[in-house]
Amino acid sequence: MIDWREIDTVLLDMDGTLLDLHFDSHFWLEHLPRRYRELHQLDEASQNALQKRIIGEQGTLDWYSLAYWSRELNVDIVALKREVQHLIGLRSDALDFLKWLKQAHPRVILATNADRASLSLKLPLTGLENYLDAIISSEDVGAAKEEQAFWFALQEIEPFDPARTLFIDDNSRVLESAREFGIRHLLGIKQPDSQRPEKELQEFIALDRFAQLLSQDLPEQQGER
C-alpha cells in the first residue's frame, strides 16, 4: 500500500488513530453530560441539550479545548476524565506499528487536535512519547487540523515535504484539509472506536489494521534510530 522509499515524514493523529476512540466517545457523549447533570442538579432535558451542544461544536478549536469546556460548564473536565481514564488505550496493533516506524523511519510526528491537558492525561498512560520525535497540538498553533492554518504552522515548526509525507487520521474533514494543503499520502481508519460500527470514508483508503502497511524490508538508507 505504501512505498516507504517515497516517505520521509509520518504524521499521526492520536485519538481514533493510535488510541481507541471509545474513551472520547464515552466521555463526551455519555459520561460528561451525565455528570454535568448530576453536579448541577439539572433535569434530563439539560443533559440532552449538552449532548447536542457538544456535537455542534465539532471541528472547532474550542471543541478540542478542555479549558473551554471547564469554563463554559463550570466543571473540572480533567477530573471528570480521570474518573473513566481506565478506558484510555491503544488501538489493536498501533504499538507494533510504532515500533516498526522507530526502526524504519527517521521522523514520526504526532499531529493532534487534543490539547495539552488531554496529552498530559493520555501520554503517561499509553507510552506514546517513547515512539515520537515531536508532538504538535492544535492548541500550540491556535488552529484545528480542519483549518489550513494548522498545516502552515506545522510546516514552520517541523519542516516537511508534503509530497513525501504520510498522514493517517480517522477524521475525513481533517484528511480533506491535509489534502488541500498538498500532503500526498493520506490514509483513514476504518474503525476508530472499537465499540462502534466501522466508518466509510468515501474519498480515502481506510485501514483496518496497521499491519497492512508494514514492509519486511526496511528502506536501505534508514536504520535503527
Side-chain angles (χ1 to χ4, degrees):
M1 185 180 292
I2 294 292
D3 184 346
W4 289 98
R5 294 168 298 182
E6 297 181 357
I7 304 297
D8 293 329
T9 304
V10 175
L11 303 176
L12 297 171
D13 171 51
M14 183 173 69
D15 300 315
T17 299
L18 294 177
L19 302 187
D20 191 336
L21 196 61
H22 175 56
F23 167 78
D24 295 277
S25 301
H26 175 75
F27 177 79
W28 291 105
L29 299 180
E30 297 178 42
H31 189 70
L32 174 58
R34 178 176 57 80
R35 295 289 283 122
Y36 172 75
R37 175 190 174 189
E38 293 171 353
L39 290 168
H40 294 298
Q41 299 181 329
L42 301 172
D43 57 19
E44 188 173 347
S46 298
Q47 179 175 333
N48 295 335
L50 178 56
Q51 288 174 320
K52 291 179 181 178
R53 180 181 175 188
I54 289 171
I55 293 171
E57 295 268 11
Q58 277 186 314
T60 67
L61 195 60
D62 282 341
W63 191 65
Y64 298 106
S65 171
L66 302 195
Y68 170 81
W69 289 110
S70 292
R71 183 175 63 251
E72 289 292 303
L73 304 180
N74 192 29
V75 296
D76 186 339
I77 294 293
V78 174
L80 294 183
K81 281 199 165 195
R82 291 193 183 280
E83 293 178 353
V84 289
Q85 69 179 21
H86 60 280
L87 297 177
I88 297 172
L90 290 157
R91 286 187 62 254
S92 58
D93 61 346
L95 184 59
D96 291 336
F97 182 50
L98 289 169
K99 289 178 178 178
W100 187 86
L101 285 175
K102 197 171 180 70
Q103 292 183 315
H105 212 277
R107 202 73 184 155
V108 179
I109 301 169
L110 189 71
T112 179
N113 273 328
D115 66 5
R116 286 290 167 177
S118 289
L119 289 166
S120 294
L121 174 65
K122 293 176 178 179
L123 293 178
L125 295 174
T126 59
L128 287 179
E129 282 179 293
N130 298 325
Y131 304 95
L132 303 168
D133 293 303
I135 298 172
I136 306 298
S137 163
S138 59
E139 181 183 33
D140 301 336
V141 303
K145 290 188 294 184
E146 287 86 342
E147 305 170 48
Q148 287 298 289
F150 175 89
W151 302 104
F152 283 102
L154 175 61
Q155 196 171 48
E156 288 255 341
I157 299 168
E158 289 286 336
F160 64 93
D161 179 357
R164 297 185 60 82
T165 295
L166 167 65
F167 175 49
I168 308 177
D169 198 294
D170 67 297
N171 186 323
S172 60
R173 287 180 59 193
V174 170
L175 290 169
E176 288 165 5
S177 180
R179 181 173 60 188
E180 181 181 345
F181 183 73
I183 295 178
R184 180 180 177 187
H185 305 276
L186 300 166
L187 292 171
I189 297 294
K190 191 173 290 186
Q191 191 177 22
D193 183 332
S194 64
Q195 305 302 307
R196 292 176 181 245
E198 294 182 352
K199 297 196 313 183
E200 285 192 20
L201 298 178
Q202 299 293 334
E203 300 182 27
F204 302 96
I205 295 173
L207 295 172
D208 182 23
R209 293 176 60 83
F210 289 112
Q212 296 170 253
L213 300 180
L214 305 190
S215 170
Q216 297 303 312
D217 299 319
L218 301 183
E220 292 181 4
Q221 72 274 22
Q222 298 168 9
E224 188 83 32
R225 285 189 293 175

